[in-house]
Amino acid sequence: MRLRDRVAIITGAGSGIGRESALLFSEEGARVVVVDIAEEAARETAEMIGKDAVPIKVDVSRWEETEYMVEETVRRFGSLDILFNNAGIDLPQATTVVETTEADWDRILDVNLKGVFLGARHALPVMMAQGHGIIINTASKAGLRGPRRESAYGASKAGVVLLTRQMAMDYGSYNIRVNCICPGALEKPTIDRRTLLEQQPGALDERNRRVSQWVPLGRLCTAKDVAYAALYLASDESSHVTGASLEV
Amino acid sequence: MGRASALRLAEEGARTVVVDVVPASGEETLAMVRAGGGTGMFLEVDVSDWVAVESMVQRVLGTYGAIHILHNNVGVAKMKSAHETSEEEWDYILRVTLKSVYLCCKAVIPGMIEQGGGSIIQTASVLGLDVSPRLAAYCAAKGAVVNLTRSMAKDYATRGIRVNCICPSDIDSPRRRANESEERRKFLLSRLPMDRYGQPEEMAEAVLWLASDASSYVTGAVLPVDGGFLA
């Protein structure tokens, strides 16, 4: 039970990495607050977990909603030990800079980068008062090198990487560790891209085949792969790890 | 830094469009450009606003017919840790430091594609790669600027457009010398192998190189001009 009695908020937990992480953290003894902008999906994840799982609908790009997310967690469970800022979007139409509309730019930056800031912004005072805390952010390999034809996404994820390192520097003395995970291309892409690919029969498989050529291990990353990385960073085993960008 | 860049490029014959939100400073830079024998114009523009940016590009194209070089040099910082940063501060720093780069490039690139090429340079920062205490929003913004530079370099490489950024560390200035505490100075110098701040003119030399054909095979570069900070 690597996370016995730890209270964890996981955003974007209605599906994918967030859902797998919620299930895994719960198996390891954590009490999980399942956060997603899709209320039904969050509830579904909470039902899969059963006891001690609380679903909350949150748009992480909004100050009031992330504030509520943290306050409600502390009200219910008395503490906030782990914040996993995993919520993120990937809009397939936002490709090159010229092709990216201002609205899409703003949305991607607001959810992927500002959302991480807001989660941390509200969680940190709680963690500082407690004398401990762990923040994990889902960044991306696309935040470490410049990705082609996803400028806004790459910029947002690079922002997450730097914000992670910067917060690690500022809050280490409060016994708060801040790390990020940089997954490569996912076997099951995020919802918007997946929806687009699924419109054409075989397109998803073709995309997976094409992209996995570049992966040394010859296969794409699964949600479980990332969940295990998050578990490591959430547990005491990583007690000397902070400011890291863990590539998966 | 922007002034030094304008003067250096003008010195090498560029028709220099000086852009700033502060007219007095911008006009002063233009006067210095002209005093040195150069030509140019000044435009008062908030580069974090799309309408203003689009209009700026139209004005420049109307006057000069083409834009060959874009130096995105605007950025703002506040010494605040993440938990001290208000939503307004976050939005302001990200809009002016990061979004302005996206907006200006979006407005300028189509013309560069039409004319067969161009050079875009961002003033990023060492803090786009490494971090410093109490600069949460700024590090996030500069990190994003660095990666945006790389993406644009890849996306427009076959169009003859090169996109690079420079990473300055701490730059000397009269205001800094007047306001900075000895303690802060000692801390900053301790991270600089050269044991001194950089001069704006030293940044301008890097900008000039990236703007000119001398760097014709350089794109997507993240060039530290930092006294050894990142080494």
Side-chain angles (χ1 to χ4, degrees):
Chain A
M1 291 283 235
R2 292 156 73 183
L3 299 180
R4 185 188 292 279
D5 293 334
R6 304 282 168 88
V7 176
I9 292 174
I10 303 179
T11 68
S15 64
I17 292 166
R19 173 171 284 183
E20 284 302 323
S21 302
L23 295 171
L24 185 58
F25 280 27
S26 180
E27 261 170 54
E28 294 292 333
R31 286 167 291 169
V32 179
V33 176
V34 178
V35 168
D36 206 288
I37 197 169
E39 193 160 19
E40 199 37 53
R43 226 177 285 138
E44 230 172 75
T45 300
E47 274 163 26
M48 288 166 82
I49 291 171
K51 41 116 217 155
D52 277 350
V54 176
I56 309 183
K57 172 178 161 35
V58 177
D59 175 349
V60 297
S61 73
R62 308 207 50 107
W63 177 279
E64 305 77 16
E65 297 190 31
T66 44
E67 185 178 51
Y68 174 76
M69 168 182 92
V70 170
E71 281 175 355
E72 183 63 11
T73 299
V74 174
R75 195 186 68 78
R76 297 256 208 163
F77 291 121
S79 69
L80 170 55
D81 304 300
I82 301 156
L83 169 65
F84 186 5
N85 286 312
N86 168 70
I89 57 171
D90 170 22
L91 303 179
Q93 70 273 16
T95 56
T96 65
V97 155
V98 172
E99 299 298 309
T100 300
T101 65
E102 190 175 0
D104 281 352
W105 172 274
D106 285 343
R107 189 67 189 143
I108 290 167
L109 270 290
D110 279 348
V111 174
N112 292 1
L113 178 54
K114 187 175 177 180
V116 169
F117 161 67
L118 288 174
R121 171 66 182 77
H122 297 298
L124 282 164
V126 172
M127 292 178 169
M128 289 162 79
Q130 282 169 178
H132 68 266
I134 289 167
I135 298 175
I136 303 156
N137 302 319
T138 299
S140 170
K141 280 207 215 275
L144 298 174
R145 298 281 296 280
R148 281 179 206 262
R149 300 179 61 77
E150 31 176 18
S151 288
Y153 183 81
S156 74
K157 292 300 190 177
V160 171
V161 172
L162 265 295
L163 182 60
T164 298
R165 286 187 197 146
Q166 201 289 322
M167 291 195 293
M169 177 176 266
D170 277 351
Y171 298 103
S173 60
Y174 292 95
N175 192 30
I176 297 168
R177 297 192 290 108
V178 189
N179 294 289
C180 67
I181 302 171
C182 296
L186 296 168
E187 192 178 77
K188 250 183 140 196
T190 46
I191 187 93
D192 301 278
R193 191 169 292 274
R194 192 162 75 239
T195 305
L196 181 69
L197 287 167
E198 281 169 352
Q199 276 165 19
Q200 261 188 286
L204 180 56
D205 288 338
E206 174 49 41
R207 172 255 184 195
N208 287 358
R209 195 172 25 243
R210 183 172 43 87
V211 175
S212 57
Q213 281 180 94
W214 299 100
V215 181
L217 291 171
R219 68 161 179 89
L220 298 183
C221 183
T222 66
K224 254 208 175 101
D225 290 328
V226 183
Y228 275 111
L231 175 60
Y232 168 66
L233 292 171
S235 72
D236 294 336
E237 290 149 7
S238 58
S239 63
H240 202 248
V241 179
T242 195
S245 324
L246 178 56
E247 290 184 69
V248 178
Chain B
M1 234 188 299
R3 171 171 289 177
S5 175
L7 292 175
R8 190 70 185 93
L9 295 181
E11 206 173 16
E12 293 297 327
R15 282 160 297 174
T16 306
V17 179
V18 176
V19 174
D20 207 299
V21 280
V22 182
S25 310
E27 297 282 7
E28 205 177 292
T29 300
L30 182 61
M32 292 167 79
V33 164
R34 286 176 174 154
T39 59
M41 66 196 278
F42 165 67
L43 295 175
E44 181 183 346
V45 185
D46 173 2
V47 293
S48 73
D49 174 63
W50 171 245
V51 173
V53 165
E54 225 187 350
S55 156
M56 167 185 82
V57 170
Q58 290 314 309
R59 286 270 323 259
V60 176
L61 291 177
T63 305
Y64 292 120
I67 299 169
H68 304 95
I69 299 159
L70 169 63
H71 180 191
N72 289 309
N73 176 67
V74 171
V76 287
K78 274 201 193 263
M79 289 226 53
K80 297 277 184 90
S81 298
H83 83 285
E84 298 168 327
T85 304
S86 72
E87 187 173 14
E88 292 68 35
E89 285 165 338
W90 174 273
D91 288 343
Y92 174 64
I93 291 166
L94 270 287
R95 208 182 71 242
V96 174
T97 307
L98 171 63
K99 192 174 179 183
S100 65
V101 173
Y102 155 70
L103 292 174
C104 289
C105 289
K106 184 175 163 72
V108 168
I109 285 171
M112 286 185 169
I113 290 174
E114 245 185 73
Q115 76 208 18
S119 178
I120 297 174
I121 304 124
Q122 271 65 261
T123 299
S125 169
V126 292
L127 301 190
L129 296 173
D130 200 348
V131 292
S132 194
R134 302 188 69 219
L135 281 166
Y138 185 75
C139 289
K142 288 298 190 181
V145 168
V146 166
N147 215 32
L148 180 61
T149 297
R150 292 182 180 135
S151 281
M152 289 193 287
K154 286 181 178 167
D155 286 340
Y156 297 108
T158 55
R159 309 295 210 140
I161 302 170
R162 296 185 298 107
V163 190
N164 296 287
C165 62
I166 63 167
C167 294
S169 54
D170 303 288
I171 307 293
D172 190 22
S173 75
R175 186 164 39 143
R176 166 166 237 150
R177 269 177 263 137
N179 296 329
E180 195 166 70
S181 73
E182 186 52 35
E183 191 190 336
R184 176 119 185 108
R185 210 180 87 89
K186 270 210 177 87
F187 168 67
L188 294 177
L189 288 177
S190 72
R191 308 182 312 182
L192 295 169
M194 280 193 184
D195 196 32
R196 68 170 176 87
Y197 295 153
Q199 294 299 322
E201 292 72 28
E202 293 176 304
M203 307 304 122
E205 288 298 332
V207 173
L208 173 64
W209 178 63
L210 290 169
S212 77
D213 296 333
S215 59
S216 57
Y217 199 59
V218 181
T219 196
V222 182
L223 178 63
V225 192
D226 67 353
F229 181 101
L230 286 173

